Amino acid sequence: GDLEIPRLQALVESFGVPFSFDIVGICAQDHGVPPRGVSHLDFRHSFFKLSLDRNPFPHALLYSREEIPAPLNRLRCIAESAAKLPAHEIYVMDSGMAAILGGSLDPQAISKERIIVLDLATSHTLGAALEKGEIAGFFEYHTRDITLQRLESLVTELADGGLVHEEI
Protein backbone atom coordinates (compact mmCIF):
# COMPACT_ATOMS: atom_id res chain seq x y z
CA GLY A 1 0.00 0.00 0.00
CA ASP A 2 2.98 2.37 -0.11
CA LEU A 3 2.63 3.18 -3.80
CA GLU A 4 -0.59 4.69 -5.12
CA ILE A 5 0.27 4.42 -8.79
CA PRO A 6 -2.83 6.23 -10.18
CA ARG A 7 -2.19 9.12 -7.79
CA LEU A 8 1.51 9.23 -8.75
CA GLN A 9 0.56 9.20 -12.42
CA ALA A 10 -1.86 12.12 -11.97
CA LEU A 11 0.79 14.08 -10.07
CA VAL A 12 3.55 13.49 -12.64
CA GLU A 13 1.29 14.21 -15.60
CA SER A 14 0.04 17.41 -13.92
CA PHE A 15 3.54 18.79 -14.52
CA GLY A 16 3.25 17.97 -18.20
CA VAL A 17 5.70 15.09 -17.88
CA PRO A 18 4.95 11.72 -19.46
CA PHE A 19 4.41 8.89 -16.98
CA SER A 20 7.25 6.75 -18.33
CA PHE A 21 10.70 6.32 -16.80
CA ASP A 22 14.10 4.90 -17.54
CA ILE A 23 14.89 4.47 -13.84
CA VAL A 24 12.76 4.75 -10.69
CA GLY A 25 14.27 5.07 -7.22
CA ILE A 26 12.05 4.65 -4.16
CA CYS A 27 13.04 4.96 -0.54
CA ALA A 28 11.12 4.08 2.60
CA GLN A 29 12.04 3.26 6.14
CA ASP A 30 12.25 -0.49 6.51
CA HIS A 31 12.53 -1.94 10.01
CA GLY A 32 13.09 -5.39 8.58
CA VAL A 33 12.05 -8.50 10.44
CA PRO A 34 14.17 -8.89 13.58
CA PRO A 35 14.49 -12.19 15.38
CA ARG A 36 12.48 -12.57 18.57
CA GLY A 37 13.95 -10.53 21.43
CA VAL A 38 15.95 -8.16 19.18
CA SER A 39 14.85 -4.53 18.95
CA HIS A 40 14.20 -2.98 15.55
CA LEU A 41 17.05 -0.49 16.04
CA ASP A 42 19.52 -3.23 17.02
CA PHE A 43 18.40 -5.32 14.05
CA ARG A 44 18.70 -2.37 11.62
CA HIS A 45 22.11 -1.50 13.03
CA SER A 46 23.36 -5.08 12.62
CA PHE A 47 21.92 -5.34 9.11
CA PHE A 48 23.45 -2.02 8.00
CA LYS A 49 26.78 -2.86 9.66
CA LEU A 50 27.04 -6.25 7.94
CA SER A 51 26.34 -4.67 4.56
CA LEU A 52 28.72 -1.78 5.15
CA ASP A 53 31.50 -4.08 6.42
CA ARG A 54 31.46 -5.69 2.96
CA ASN A 55 31.19 -2.39 1.07
CA PRO A 56 31.50 0.78 3.23
CA PHE A 57 29.83 3.18 0.80
CA PRO A 58 26.22 4.34 1.32
CA HIS A 59 25.20 3.23 -2.17
CA ALA A 60 25.90 -0.38 -1.07
CA LEU A 61 22.45 -0.21 0.54
CA LEU A 62 20.74 0.64 -2.77
CA TYR A 63 19.09 -2.45 -4.25
CA SER A 64 17.72 -3.29 -7.65
CA ARG A 65 14.29 -4.90 -7.61
CA GLU A 66 15.82 -8.36 -7.97
CA GLU A 67 18.44 -8.15 -5.20
CA ILE A 68 16.59 -6.89 -2.12
CA PRO A 69 17.71 -8.83 0.97
CA ALA A 70 15.02 -11.04 2.52
CA PRO A 71 14.78 -9.18 5.87
CA LEU A 72 13.75 -5.96 4.10
CA ASN A 73 10.13 -6.96 3.66
CA ARG A 74 8.72 -3.44 3.21
CA LEU A 75 11.21 -2.62 0.45
CA ARG A 76 10.45 -5.97 -1.25
CA CYS A 77 6.71 -5.18 -1.17
CA ILE A 78 7.34 -1.69 -2.54
CA ALA A 79 9.47 -3.12 -5.35
CA GLU A 80 6.70 -5.59 -6.22
CA SER A 81 4.20 -2.73 -6.45
CA ALA A 82 6.68 -0.64 -8.42
CA ALA A 83 6.91 -3.41 -11.02
CA LYS A 84 3.62 -2.01 -12.34
CA LEU A 85 5.29 1.33 -13.12
CA PRO A 86 6.33 2.04 -16.71
CA ALA A 87 10.06 1.87 -15.92
CA HIS A 88 13.06 -0.01 -17.27
CA GLU A 89 14.85 -0.24 -13.90
CA ILE A 90 13.62 0.01 -10.31
CA TYR A 91 15.78 0.58 -7.23
CA VAL A 92 14.85 0.79 -3.56
CA MET A 93 16.72 1.98 -0.48
CA ASP A 94 16.06 2.57 3.19
CA SER A 95 15.14 6.25 3.54
CA GLY A 96 17.65 6.97 6.33
CA MET A 97 20.59 5.66 4.35
CA ALA A 98 19.20 7.32 1.21
CA ALA A 99 19.35 10.64 3.09
CA ILE A 100 22.95 9.92 4.11
CA LEU A 101 23.83 9.09 0.49
CA GLY A 102 22.09 12.21 -0.81
CA GLY A 103 23.71 14.45 1.78
CA SER A 104 27.14 13.03 0.98
CA LEU A 105 26.65 13.96 -2.68
CA ASP A 106 25.87 17.62 -1.98
CA PRO A 107 28.32 19.77 -4.01
CA GLN A 108 29.73 21.36 -0.84
CA ALA A 109 30.05 18.02 0.97
CA ILE A 110 31.54 16.02 -1.90
CA SER A 111 34.63 18.22 -1.99
CA LYS A 112 35.43 17.51 1.69
CA GLU A 113 37.53 14.62 2.94
CA ARG A 114 35.49 14.11 6.13
CA ILE A 115 31.83 14.95 6.72
CA ILE A 116 29.00 14.16 9.07
CA VAL A 117 25.51 13.83 7.61
CA LEU A 118 22.35 13.82 9.72
CA ASP A 119 18.86 12.71 8.76
CA LEU A 120 16.52 14.16 11.38
CA ALA A 121 13.25 12.52 10.45
CA THR A 122 9.92 12.12 12.17
CA SER A 123 10.50 8.68 13.65
CA HIS A 124 14.23 7.97 13.32
CA THR A 125 17.30 10.17 13.50
CA LEU A 126 20.29 8.77 11.63
CA GLY A 127 23.81 10.19 11.60
CA ALA A 128 26.87 9.03 9.70
CA ALA A 129 30.51 10.03 9.56
CA LEU A 130 32.03 9.65 6.11
CA GLU A 131 35.66 9.75 5.15
CA LYS A 132 36.45 9.99 1.43
CA GLY A 133 32.88 8.82 0.73
CA GLU A 134 33.08 5.73 2.96
CA ILE A 135 30.85 5.38 6.01
CA ALA A 136 33.26 5.32 8.94
CA GLY A 137 30.50 5.10 11.56
CA PHE A 138 26.81 5.72 12.04
CA PHE A 139 24.09 5.83 14.67
CA GLU A 140 20.32 5.66 14.70
CA TYR A 141 17.98 6.82 17.42
CA HIS A 142 14.22 7.11 17.80
CA THR A 143 13.61 10.82 17.23
CA ARG A 144 11.01 11.04 19.99
CA ASP A 145 13.64 9.85 22.51
CA ILE A 146 16.45 12.20 21.53
CA THR A 147 17.22 15.55 23.11
CA LEU A 148 19.40 18.31 21.74
CA GLN A 149 22.04 17.49 24.35
CA ARG A 150 22.01 13.79 23.40
CA LEU A 151 22.22 14.62 19.70
CA GLU A 152 25.21 16.91 20.34
CA SER A 153 26.85 14.13 22.36
CA LEU A 154 26.21 11.52 19.63
CA VAL A 155 27.59 13.75 16.88
CA THR A 156 30.68 14.62 18.95
CA GLU A 157 31.36 10.97 19.82
CA LEU A 158 30.78 9.97 16.18
CA ALA A 159 33.22 12.63 14.97
CA ASP A 160 35.81 11.56 17.56
CA GLY A 161 35.44 7.89 16.57
CA GLY A 162 34.40 6.87 20.07
CA LEU A 163 30.72 6.09 19.57
CA VAL A 164 29.78 2.51 20.45
CA HIS A 165 26.41 1.04 19.43
CA GLU A 166 25.82 -0.52 22.85
CA GLU A 167 25.84 2.99 24.37
CA ILE A 168 22.88 3.93 22.19
Side-chain angles (χ1 to χ4, degrees):
D2 283 300
L3 291 182
E4 298 177 31
I5 293 176
R7 189 172 177 192
L8 290 172
Q9 183 172 359
L11 179 66
V12 169
E13 289 175 345
S14 75
F15 292 110
V17 176
F19 194 67
S20 177
F21 313 98
D22 293 326
I23 300 172
V24 170
I26 303 168
C27 64
Q29 184 180 33
D30 193 333
H31 284 98
V33 182
R36 233 176 244 270
V38 176
S39 78
H40 284 115
L41 283 181
D42 284 340
F43 178 75
R44 283 169 57 83
H45 177 85
S46 296
F47 181 83
F48 290 158
K49 185 177 179 322
L50 278 172
S51 297
L52 294 169
D53 283 348
R54 289 190 301 268
N55 185 356
F57 296 92
H59 66 267
L61 297 163
L62 174 71
Y63 304 105
S64 71
R65 203 180 75 162
E66 297 80 24
E67 63 183 15
I68 304 164
L72 300 179
N73 58 337
R74 183 176 185 200
L75 291 181
R76 281 197 337 264
C77 289
I78 288 171
E80 285 176 27
S81 297
K84 297 175 185 137
L85 291 169
H88 298 292
E89 297 177 58
I90 295 169
Y91 294 90
V92 295
M93 188 173 193
D94 180 83
S95 55
M97 284 298 179
I100 299 302
L101 175 59
S104 73
L105 297 174
D106 179 271
Q108 290 189 25
I110 206 163
S111 65
K112 307 291 187 228
E113 189 169 315
R114 293 184 188 105
I115 61 170
I116 290 184
V117 180
L118 297 175
D119 174 34
L120 303 168
T122 16
S123 61
H124 287 219
T125 292
L126 186 65
L130 289 91
E131 185 167 348
K132 297 179 184 174
E134 291 185 20
I135 294 183
F138 68 94
F139 68 84
E140 186 170 22
Y141 221 95
H142 284 119
T143 302
R144 72 177 180 272
D145 296 331
I146 201 166
T147 63
L148 178 59
Q149 293 78 18
R150 182 63 178 138
L151 181 59
E152 288 174 345
S153 159
L154 290 167
V155 170
T156 300
E157 290 175 59
L158 181 64
D160 291 342
L163 188 60
V164 178
H165 176 70
E166 290 71 26
E167 293 175 11
I168 297 174

